[in-house]
Amino acid sequence: MKGFFITFEGGEGAGKSTQIEKTKSYLESKGRKVITIREPGSTPIAEDIRNLLKSVRSDDRMCDTAELLLMYAARAQLVNTLIKPKLEEGFDILCDRHDLSTIAYQGGGRMMNMEDINAIRNVVLKSFRPDLTVLIDVPPKVGMARARNRGELDRFEISNADFFERVDKAYHDYAKNHPETVAVVDGTLSVQEVSEQIIKNIQERLDV
Ligand code: Z5A
């Protein structure tokens, strides 16, 4: 039996990592085998790319095109060497960010051309899509306040508030146009209430 591919999306501090752990526990209680991963990253090569993408360096500034291509290089490696084989083996995969992050951050945040993004997306993913995307909806200011207590900021976190507002808008636009595959949950509720919303969506939308 093929596993389910469920992705978790939202701005920084939305609570994705927290909810992935709770969802994993729920699915395991139903006897399912679950793997949790993150993007960019989760294979040795993709983790190297993640370090490149996140590091702030003073000797060179990463251009938007390099950032976009590196996101898809990491995704190609992860999808082809881990996600697809493990789904075939029957594992459910819970992924912290996936392709919708590129639409939101590079498309919305960086304002890159969506036709160009879609062309690369098509090369890398073809028709491969998550079975369900959970969008944890938190106003950017709330998410930033939650996430900013961690110390040094990475290359994305140093972006200004307008950037995160554009990311947020791109997420909502996409969710509005894809209600059948994107479940929007209110991330300002308590951890337990958010988890209950996610599990309800999984029960209603997937045969779990
Ligand atoms: N990126 C991109 O640009 N394009 C792409 O295609 C991809 C990614 C795939 C990866 O950052 C960066 O890469 C990301 C976008 C870019 N940058 N940004 N910004 P990352 O992986 O290092 O970080 P993140 O994905 O943004 O996650 P995060 O900030 O670590 O947040 P989170 O996982 O969503 O939240 P959390 O760690 O579960 O919770 C954050 C805090 O809030 C923590 O203290 C929790 O205890 C607390 N929390 C969680 N839930 C609640 C509730 N319900 N109430 C109150 N407090 C809560």
Side-chain angles (χ1 to χ4, degrees), residues 68 72 99 102-103 113-126 129 174:
L68 175 71
Y72 275 112
D99 199 45
T102 311
I103 293 169
N113 183 300
M114 268 315 297
E115 278 182 24
D116 291 346
I117 294 179
N118 279 330
I120 300 162
R121 191 178 182 218
N122 199 33
V123 171
V124 173
L125 296 173
K126 301 192 174 61
R129 295 286 180 275
Y174 188 91

Side-chain angles (χ1 to χ4, degrees), residues 10-19 38-40 50 54 67 71 75 96-103 105-106 146-147 150 154 156-157 163-164 187-192 194:
E12 63 165 335
K16 301 180 304 301
S17 320
T18 307
Q19 293 301 332
R38 65 178 180 182
E39 282 205 28
R50 178 185 178 89
K54 290 195 55 150
E67 178 180 282
M71 286 295 175
R75 185 162 303 137
D96 191 337
R97 299 193 178 282
H98 180 61
D99 199 45
L100 180 50
S101 281
T102 311
I103 293 169
Y105 281 79
Q106 281 65 50
R146 282 187 195 165
R150 284 182 297 217
D154 69 29
F156 294 94
E157 290 166 340
F163 174 86
F164 289 106
T188 63
L189 300 174
S190 72
V191 169
Q192 186 53 32
V194 179

